[in-house]
Amino acid sequence: MDSYTTKAGETVDLACHRFYGRTAQVSEAVLAANRGVAALGPILPVGTVLLMPPAPVSKARPLVKLYE
């Protein structure tokens, strides 16, 4: 499992966005892998090390055509 060290002013969502390039479906996985990190508050202390689990694979959505 990879790790990520937070910088000044980062939240879990921002750390996920910087590490994975998205927050959908990964913020919850990161919080589950880092029990107790939510108790640190919305803005994480500088230098907090987060365990970053493998990103869940997104299911492909069917393409919706607006016009034929």
Side-chain angles (χ1 to χ4, degrees):
M1 191 174 305
D2 292 324
S3 63
Y4 178 84
T5 304
T6 60
K7 297 167 186 60
E10 281 192 323
T11 61
V12 171
D13 285 341
L14 183 55
C16 289
H17 187 268
R18 288 185 174 161
F19 187 82
Y20 297 108
R22 64 184 171 126
T23 58
Q25 299 176 334
V26 293
S27 295
E28 295 83 0
V30 170
L31 287 170
N34 295 278
R35 299 280 181 206
V37 77
L40 297 176
I43 298 177
L44 300 173
V46 174
T48 302
V49 177
L50 299 173
L51 296 176
M52 306 303 266
V57 177
S58 299
K59 294 180 182 176
R61 295 182 186 179
L63 182 64
V64 176
K65 293 182 180 182
L66 297 178
Y67 303 99
E68 291 293 331

